Amino acid sequence: MLDAGEKPLVRIVMAGHVDHGKSTLIGRIRHEICALADAAALDGSVAGNWAFSMDQLQEERDNMMTIDTAQTFIDTPESRLVFIDVPGHQELIENMITGATRADAAVLVLAADEGVKVQTRRHTLLLGMLGIRGVVVAINKMDLVGFGEAAFRVLEEAVTATLAEMGVESYAVIPIVALDGDNVLTHSARMPWYDGPALLEVLLDLEPPAEESQVTRLPVQDVYSIDGETVVVGRLLTGRLGEGDVLRLLPDEAECKVTEIKRFPADHLPAVAGESIGVVLSGIKPVRGQVLVPPGDRPRVSTSLDGQVFWLGEAPLEVGDSLVLRCATQAHGVTVAGITERIDSATLDPQPAGGALASMQIARVLVTSEKPMVFEPFARIPGLGRFVLERGGRGVGFGIVT
Amino acid sequence: MDPLSWMENESIFVIREAYARYERIAMLWSMGKDSTALLGMCRKAFFGRIPFPVIHIDTSYKFKEIYEFRDRIASEWGLDLVVCRNEGAIATGMGPGASDKFSCCNALKTDALKMAIEDLHLDALLLGIRRDEHGVRAKERYFSPRRQDFTWNVGSQPPELWDLYATAEGASHDRIHPLLHMTERDIWHYIRREGLPVNPLYFAKNGKRFRSIGCHTCCNPIESDAATVDEIIADIESSKAPERAGRAQDKESAYTMQKLRSLGYM
């Protein structure tokens, strides 16, 4: 067995419509891999009722419905899988997105007796918008359609069409019965016509996401005074950083040199993407929210930002509204200057021009700020291309820079 | 980057984010493995000197090894240690023998914690809880607001998107959970890699050791011969029993953990 420090880690969100079997599938996978026997002995209500291994709140069990997102960790000899359960109910979309923003890959769960439903479509769109590559489709409850191949092919065609419409690719479409474990870990004798992989075979082949970009981006998280020395701290989003490197501080445009890479205990090694480090810089004193970049390759610096926004707020978003935009370590007071290309997030139906952006609608939103914002396309540097819009300290929408 | 390093960097990002975003912050340290790992990460985040108080909620029923470990590490690492006890409840005889476990945890831990937060005027508190400890903790956010009456409404938590943490207006304080993404196994691998100090209660004596530590009255040891960190890791990797199987307060009745936590328990 690989050491825990060496095993690749992949985070997988279970997406799909309410009651299509997301929690049950995670519970069943846990049962199959970990042999949940001991836990079941402690809590008899879990045995055979796999969703309860995730749905641990009293309200969830009483209503047989996931309310909030939860995560569970499964170690296999080859890899570490983190399963993120999310609610499938429309009213709980905030909790679904909370879970999905932490995922590297997704399983889209679809009940064979119901097919593609509203949240199947909305969740698929969200997976595409959040940049989650690698979606596996599990067509669940095959027992309710008599384990038939013809029924499966119809559903496969429908879901493949939905994925294509939303711009999402799938690795595989697998017929399963989450409750009984058919095609979950091993091939099911009840569906001999299916010759593709079992779900876990596909999931164990998933690889952690590759590093997005080689370009250095260090958002300033904070500035400390350590023994009289000014130390800038932050997490390197992308690229590398070594002592002697020359950087430009945006939006100020001041140039500086890295005199020391600081860690505790000290080692002076170059920093790699994802690392939370300290740097000592010559000649400048940055503040939180600024971004350190190499002189030649720079993000956009502007007082106006145009992004694709998914709205969550109860009160709709209107032109002229003031909000806080959070992007990397920046927080800017912004004003909405335009809302265009408004669509419904499940049907993709265009909405009348000029209207406010209602909950669960998507639009291109133009915001302006007093101070310059630093950002770039999500596809290039995700950490500088995604943002949250807040009202009263609560996220009411999120967006990506295209 | 290997997963253990990725986890550490994720945690340090959360710790620094909390320090940057709140005026008055402190960390809760129980001297157990998780909060000691968190303490080690805080030292790394601030280059050796932790710039906020480290609070011990003392029920007066802790193992003597816990007090000894606390005083030794606090001195070695130069911590600003603050010990908080619900002296009123202790004086009236509140204890696991005098009451049910739910009331005892609530009085000696949750109420003592409330007093500490009020006394120190804290607006945020760092805690070493992990998602894999308990199904209710699996639902936590990294930045988790508590209402004015200190309660946690798990059914209506605010959204938390990527690492763009929101700090809700109108909360009494926010709980910050930098270790949510780590498992028990990860913590031990991290302790081994970093050479962090370990409370001797975790090591086997006469064929028994503690896997989860707290009050001596409510913690039961497990059968084990693991006497080193390497042996503890081997022990956990071959065991299927849950980590908190020896903790009495989790098992008193269904949903006790949810009820305790909704009232402000860690």
Side-chain angles (χ1 to χ4, degrees):
Chain A
M1 192 184 264
L2 290 165
D3 186 86
E6 295 162 5
K7 287 206 273 188
L9 184 151
V10 184
R11 299 171 298 173
I12 301 162
V13 62
M14 290 282 170
H17 196 73
V18 63
D19 209 29
H20 280 201
K22 299 181 289 298
S23 307
T24 300
L25 181 54
I26 298 178
R28 183 71 202 196
I29 291 170
R30 274 193 71 100
H31 168 70
E32 300 248 342
I33 294 186
C34 314
L36 210 56
D38 288 308
L42 270 180
D43 183 352
S45 57
V46 171
N49 204 344
W50 310 120
F52 279 12
S53 87
M54 301 307 294
D55 293 342
Q56 298 232 356
L57 300 179
Q58 189 168 1
E59 304 87 299
E60 293 182 317
R61 291 184 175 187
D62 290 350
N63 297 315
M64 298 290 277
M65 180 182 93
T66 303
I67 293 172
D68 205 351
T69 180
Q71 296 191 12
T72 191
F73 306 82
I74 298 178
D75 273 301
T76 74
E78 303 82 23
S79 67
R80 150 74 70 81
L81 300 179
V82 180
F83 285 97
I84 306 172
D85 194 26
V86 300
H89 196 283
Q90 172 167 314
E91 298 297 316
L92 302 166
I93 193 77
E94 289 184 346
N95 295 340
M96 184 274 170
I97 297 167
T98 295
T101 58
R102 295 282 173 178
D104 307 306
V107 176
L108 182 66
V109 183
L110 188 75
D113 60 328
E114 293 201 348
V116 174
K117 301 285 279 185
V118 176
Q119 303 313 317
T120 318
R121 293 177 58 84
R122 181 169 285 127
H123 287 192
T124 306
L125 175 133
L126 280 164
L127 298 178
M129 194 172 163
L130 296 171
I132 296 170
R133 293 170 196 89
V135 176
V136 182
V137 179
I139 301 203
N140 188 24
K141 308 193 189 182
M142 283 298 294
D143 51 328
L144 300 184
V145 293
F147 304 101
E149 181 175 8
F152 172 74
R153 295 299 170 205
V154 170
L155 291 160
E156 182 183 39
E157 195 176 323
V159 74
T160 306
T162 300
L163 290 165
E165 193 184 350
M166 307 289 183
V168 175
E169 280 183 39
S170 75
Y171 284 137
V173 182
I174 305 169
I176 67 163
V177 182
L179 199 59
D180 302 332
D182 297 76
N183 291 332
V184 172
L185 202 64
T186 52
H187 287 251
S188 168
R190 298 197 285 187
M191 287 174 273
W193 49 265
Y194 175 71
D195 56 5
L199 181 62
L200 253 293
E201 288 180 70
V202 181
L203 298 184
L204 289 173
D205 268 352
L206 295 175
E207 303 223 331
E211 197 179 321
E212 297 99 352
S213 168
Q214 302 298 316
V215 184
T216 299
R217 296 286 184 260
L218 178 63
V220 175
Q221 189 176 15
D222 209 344
V223 181
Y224 301 156
S225 178
I226 306 288
D227 300 325
E229 192 173 47
T230 300
V231 179
V232 172
V233 299
R235 181 161 51 179
L236 194 60
L237 286 180
T238 47
R240 295 179 154 262
L241 194 62
E243 295 181 352
D245 286 0
V246 174
L247 294 172
R248 191 170 285 259
L249 180 69
L250 297 179
D252 281 15
E253 304 289 349
E255 207 163 88
C256 61
K257 189 184 256 193
V258 178
T259 54
E260 189 186 347
I261 299 282
K262 218 168 160 64
R263 293 185 187 83
F264 179 82
D267 61 14
H268 304 279
L269 293 170
V272 298
E275 227 188 318
S276 287
I277 46 155
V279 287
V280 181
L281 303 168
S282 66
I284 56 164
K285 188 168 182 187
V287 294
R288 176 177 163 88
Q290 294 178 320
V291 185
L292 289 155
V293 305
D297 189 325
R298 41 187 297 142
R300 286 184 231 165
V301 178
S302 173
T303 53
S304 63
L305 180 154
D306 176 28
Q308 188 189 26
V309 169
F310 188 107
W311 190 247
L312 297 164
E314 276 176 42
L317 182 72
E318 298 191 53
V319 172
D321 281 0
S322 294
L323 307 112
V324 170
L325 179 145
R326 216 174 267 292
C327 173
T329 58
Q330 305 168 86
H332 295 281
V334 295
T335 304
V336 178
I339 298 174
T340 53
E341 298 171 37
R342 195 162 56 93
I343 59 167
D344 179 283
S345 64
T347 62
L348 304 187
D349 289 342
Q351 305 294 305
L357 186 62
S359 177
M360 284 185 284
Q361 291 181 346
I362 295 176
R364 293 200 72 80
V365 174
L366 177 70
V367 297
T368 56
S369 60
E370 277 188 20
K371 291 184 185 164
M373 299 175 277
V374 181
F375 57 93
E376 55 197 306
F378 178 78
R380 177 166 151 83
I381 311 276
L384 273 177
R386 59 196 181 204
F387 58 89
V388 171
L389 296 169
E390 293 179 3
R391 261 182 192 155
R394 188 181 174 103
V396 282
F398 70 92
I400 57 164
V401 179
T402 49
Chain B
M1 187 183 293
D2 66 274
L4 209 53
S5 299
W6 176 82
M7 291 175 203
E8 179 193 59
N9 282 294
E10 188 83 359
S11 300
I12 290 176
F13 178 82
V14 174
I15 293 163
R16 286 177 173 162
E17 196 62 11
Y19 184 66
R21 302 273 293 273
Y22 298 94
E23 291 275 316
R24 295 185 66 88
I25 187 167
M27 180 197 138
L28 216 53
W29 182 36
S30 70
M31 284 66 75
K33 64 189 187 312
D34 303 313
S35 59
T36 302
L38 178 59
L39 197 62
M41 288 183 190
C42 286
R43 293 182 83 218
K44 286 187 133 180
F46 303 104
F47 307 98
R49 205 181 60 231
I50 299 174
F52 42 72
V54 174
I55 299 173
H56 174 214
I57 301 297
D58 182 16
T59 59
S60 79
Y61 292 98
K62 300 291 174 189
F63 291 94
K64 76 171 185 349
E65 289 87 345
I66 289 184
Y67 296 110
E68 289 165 5
F69 184 81
R70 178 190 74 189
D71 295 338
R72 177 169 71 81
I73 301 301
S75 158
E76 280 177 21
W77 286 356
L79 304 179
D80 174 11
L81 179 73
V82 178
V83 177
C84 299
R85 291 157 58 117
N86 184 351
E87 296 290 2
I90 293 169
T92 61
M94 172 55 83
S99 156
D100 61 281
K101 304 203 186 311
F102 174 81
S103 306
C104 183
C105 272
N106 206 30
L108 298 188
K109 289 177 163 181
T110 310
D111 288 345
L113 178 60
K114 287 179 190 175
M115 293 172 195
I117 289 168
E118 279 163 13
D119 289 349
L120 296 170
H121 308 288
L122 298 176
D123 47 24
L125 190 64
L126 293 159
L127 293 96
I129 66 162
R130 296 176 289 104
R131 287 199 181 101
D132 87 316
E133 277 179 279
H134 193 280
V136 175
R137 286 181 174 166
K139 305 222 174 242
E140 266 292 1
R141 304 281 197 259
Y142 285 96
F143 277 47
S144 178
R146 292 297 184 274
R147 296 191 291 207
Q148 286 302 330
D149 58 359
F150 282 75
T151 57
W152 179 50
N153 189 351
V154 60
S156 68
Q157 299 196 77
E160 187 166 271
L161 309 177
W162 297 292
D163 53 6
L164 301 172
Y165 300 109
T167 53
E169 287 172 10
S172 70
H173 68 285
D174 288 354
R175 300 276 173 94
I176 314 298
H177 303 127
L179 304 185
L180 276 190
H181 49 274
M182 297 183 80
T183 65
E184 180 189 22
R185 191 164 168 259
D186 298 329
I187 292 290
W188 283 112
H189 277 275
Y190 185 74
I191 286 169
R192 178 168 69 182
R193 193 183 83 172
E194 299 295 308
L196 290 170
V198 178
N199 195 304
L201 291 165
Y202 287 109
F203 298 125
K205 245 190 250 167
N206 306 320
K208 284 184 190 296
R209 70 175 195 90
F210 290 91
R211 189 165 164 193
S212 176
I213 63 174
C215 296
H216 63 76
T217 46
C218 294
C219 287
N220 294 308
I222 57 164
E223 305 273 333
S224 169
D225 291 318
T228 64
V229 173
D230 283 343
E231 287 168 8
I232 289 173
I233 289 172
D235 208 32
I236 292 166
E237 290 178 352
S238 64
S239 166
K240 296 211 181 295
E243 177 182 1
R244 291 178 65 93
R247 299 296 287 267
Q249 66 267 39
D250 293 20
K251 298 204 289 278
E252 197 168 57
S253 67
Y255 310 116
T256 297
M257 192 63 160
Q258 182 181 354
K259 286 174 197 152
L260 277 170
R261 297 210 78 231
S262 69
L263 293 172
Y265 187 80
M266 303 71 169

